[in-house]
Amino acid sequence: MPGSDIMKRRGERGERGPKEEEEEDEDGEEEEEEEDVGPPPNPFIHEVHLRGAWQHMKFYLLGVLLFPLRFLLTTFFLFLMWPFAVLRVVGLTEEELRQPIRHRRRFFHHAIRFLSRCMFFVTGFYRIKIKGRMASSLEAPILLAAPHSTFFDTLVVVPCDLPSVVSRVENLSIPVIGALLRFNQSILVSRHDPTSRKKVVEEVKRRATFRGEWPQLLFYPEGTTANGKVLLKFKPGAFIAGVPVQPILIRYPNKLPATTWTWKGNGVFKVLWLSMSQLYLSVEVEFLPVYHPNEAEKADPTLYASGVQRVMAGALGIPATDYELIGDMPVSPIGQLKVALELGLWELGKILKRARCLPMKAESCGGPCMEESDRRLSQEEFADRLNLTDSVTTSKAFSYFQKDARGCVDLHEVILVLAALDAVRSAKDVAELAFKLFAETQQGDENGPHLYEEGFTTILRCLLGTPCLESSKVFAEICEGMSAVGLSKDGFLDFSLHHPCYRQLFCYYLRPPARAKKRHRHSQRPELPTAATASSALWPNGTCTQTSNLENGRRPGHQKAS
């Protein structure tokens, strides 16, 4: 995937990229609607910046006093749980641990729950506000907590009476944590055992259908933390058993959103410092009514997960999305594609801008070679074309492009990427140039050059980093029912600029974030969607049919972290 080396350096922060001009309509007039198009809201990014001398002084003074004390007390209560957790399971065989623990050992359960509440109390959560009623294990064997925005979300186990969880088997070796996992008979999954996930699914089904004898199972269905402004796509694991579930909403109504911990943003220490430096932390845990799946949802865990996600999003008043974290990459599905929320193209733009190579006209890089058949560039020729003098910068920029057996890159790919990074080009300009660079005239093409599968996949690969297999499926989809095997210029422009789903690739995802950030500073904050509107439609990220909010750039409930 192009830009993979650059994406590994995702922790590097800087300017997002150049400002993009508005797309022109067929008559050459600028469409006012396109003016507000910005990058996708990335729910995996959250940063807290203190503002003003008073806020800095308050947090540094309180931090010096409160953070060490609270951290030591939190650690004390955590380690105090250790002997109680060990005593509850001591002497029990592995076979006995596969059955619910009852009788005299119930005392240790109450002791751990009390110490857990003390631990979160000294952390700053003096009160956990509870709304609704928790269902029994007979009513709902599975509990679902969302949005998952921080490691503090573990506090939900206190009002939930210490339910079992699913955790990695490697966590058993961590002091205290391993003992607590054995204490509440957690289900363990191993990444190294290919049959482990199947065993976990079977164990979840077994416990969920045990008529209330087992403790309830707690899942965080998003699978990772986000900034809480949207709901990520729910993983299907909690829904495979097809039993009723109880959704649980977690809110942190604090003035400073210091508790949030995401894929990119504030580190663990900063989150702990800012959170424990506040006089108190507020949290609300709301139990929603039990969700009973219909027959179709029982047969399809993905459909079941989607239904519960919409209900929870409606209650929260935030969008339900299909955003997810695949491996180490946050992605958003666009039709048959999974597009990275932070494109390698943007990282390349930052590298070239620091090297003072941007803005650069793409044609100035191509020159007379745009029509040459042999257009391969070595790293030295690449540096000469872009006027790069630093070898490290050249190597980073060169690594973005796909190389052939000789280690050379395609000049046309370089030209197209530079055009996409050009501040004065509209989406229509980029699409027209892409067609000009990669269209071919084959025998029998009476109506001029066409864009065939190889050129089409190359365009999406070098701009968006999409694998050729996914791009080929999209090409087959848009060419289905057409007499020609390739796309004409009008056909490609219709795909790039007017397709109800894929137009987002050129008109939305190629827009660098800096443009949206500047625009939000001068625009009125968008209103949060109501529960009714949030539950009626998915967030417009390429998988839903309602794309009006996406196309005009107004994203309910999203605001750049500051």
Side-chain angles (χ1 to χ4, degrees), residues 3 37 54 96 114 154 158-159 162 178 181 213 273 285 288 291 310 334 336 338 353 384 445 511-512 520 526:
V37 175
W54 167 244
E96 289 175 317
F114 173 75
T154 53
V158 177
L162 304 185
L181 290 175
E213 295 189 22
W273 177 277
V285 177
L288 296 183
Y291 187 102
R310 285 196 298 270
I334 302 292
Q336 300 193 54
K338 290 187 181 295
K353 192 164 186 178
D384 183 61
D445 286 344
R511 306 274 177 161
H520 282 311

Side-chain angles (χ1 to χ4, degrees), residues 438-460:
F438 294 97
E440 303 176 37
T441 302
Q442 295 186 358
Q443 187 175 5
D445 286 344
E446 299 178 356
N447 298 322
H450 282 69
L451 187 65
Y452 296 96
E453 182 177 338
E454 182 180 359
F456 181 86
T457 57
T458 300
I459 291 172
L460 297 191

Side-chain angles (χ1 to χ4, degrees), residues 461-480:
R461 173 178 52 77
C462 68
L463 291 181
L464 301 164
T466 55
C468 290
L469 182 60
E470 291 183 9
S471 302
S472 296
K473 292 179 180 179
V474 174
F475 184 80
E477 176 188 340
I478 61 178
C479 290
E480 186 177 3

Side-chain angles (χ1 to χ4, degrees), residues 109 113-114 116-117 120 127-135 143 145 152-163 216 218 220 246 248-250 283-287:
H109 177 93
R113 186 181 182 188
F114 173 75
S116 299
R117 184 65 190 97
F120 287 112
R127 181 191 175 200
I128 301 177
K129 186 176 181 180
I130 308 296
K131 294 182 178 180
R133 181 188 70 87
M134 179 182 170
L143 306 174
F152 289 120
D153 288 342
T154 53
L155 61 78
V156 78
V157 301
V158 177
C160 291
D161 196 26
L162 304 185
Q216 289 166 296
L218 173 66
Y220 298 94
Q246 182 171 34
I248 303 173
L249 308 181
I250 309 174
V283 61
E284 295 178 359
V285 177
E286 180 178 359
F287 294 95

Side-chain angles (χ1 to χ4, degrees), residues 171-392:
N171 292 337
L172 285 177
S173 59
I174 302 176
V176 185
I177 302 300
L180 291 173
L181 290 175
R182 290 179 62 84
F183 150 81
N184 79 341
Q185 298 178 283
S186 296
I187 299 176
L188 302 174
V189 58
S190 174
R191 294 183 176 181
H192 306 293
D193 183 1
T195 64
S196 178
R197 292 188 179 277
K198 183 179 179 181
K199 294 176 182 177
V200 168
V201 169
E202 293 174 351
E203 181 65 14
V204 170
K205 286 183 177 180
R206 185 178 77 89
R207 295 194 188 186
T209 55
F210 221 77
R211 301 298 300 168
E213 295 189 22
W214 275 97
Q216 289 166 296
L217 281 168
L218 173 66
F219 286 88
Y220 298 94
E222 294 172 288
T224 188
T225 57
N227 60 20
K229 291 180 172 26
V230 302
L231 279 187
L232 306 182
K233 181 180 180 180
F234 281 10
K235 306 291 184 182
F239 305 91
I240 291 177
V243 297
V245 299
Q246 182 171 34
I248 303 173
L249 308 181
I250 309 174
R251 301 183 181 93
Y252 296 89
N254 301 293
K255 291 183 179 180
L256 187 73
T259 58
T260 304
W261 182 58
T262 57
W263 171 83
K264 185 176 180 181
N266 297 327
V268 174
F269 179 78
K270 186 173 182 180
V271 171
L272 287 172
W273 177 277
L274 291 176
S275 299
M276 293 185 177
S277 297
Q278 299 187 63
L279 290 176
Y280 64 91
L281 295 167
S282 299
V283 61
E284 295 178 359
V285 177
E286 180 178 359
F287 294 95
L288 296 183
V290 175
Y291 187 102
H292 295 271
N294 55 37
E295 293 303 318
E297 291 174 329
K298 289 180 181 179
D300 186 351
T302 302
L303 180 64
Y304 189 3
S306 178
V308 176
Q309 184 200 30
R310 285 196 298 270
V311 168
M312 297 182 75
L316 289 163
I318 62 176
T321 76
D322 277 342
Y323 293 143
E324 57 183 325
L325 195 67
I326 297 181
D328 204 25
M329 183 82 68
V331 300
S332 172
I334 302 292
Q336 300 193 54
L337 301 176
K338 290 187 181 295
V339 183
L341 292 181
E342 291 215 339
L343 298 179
L345 182 71
W346 298 343
E347 295 289 335
L348 176 64
K350 291 189 289 186
I351 291 172
L352 295 179
K353 192 164 186 178
R354 284 195 297 269
R356 301 185 183 278
C357 290
L358 292 179
M360 173 184 287
K361 295 295 182 184
E363 287 80 358
S364 66
C365 177
C369 296
M370 287 187 66
E371 303 298 334
E372 292 181 5
S373 58
D374 185 12
R375 54 186 195 241
R376 312 305 296 182
L377 293 179
S378 65
Q379 185 165 321
E380 292 75 17
E381 293 170 328
F382 174 82
D384 183 61
R385 293 273 183 173
L386 271 67
N387 299 320
L388 294 171
T389 56
D390 180 66
S391 59
V392 175

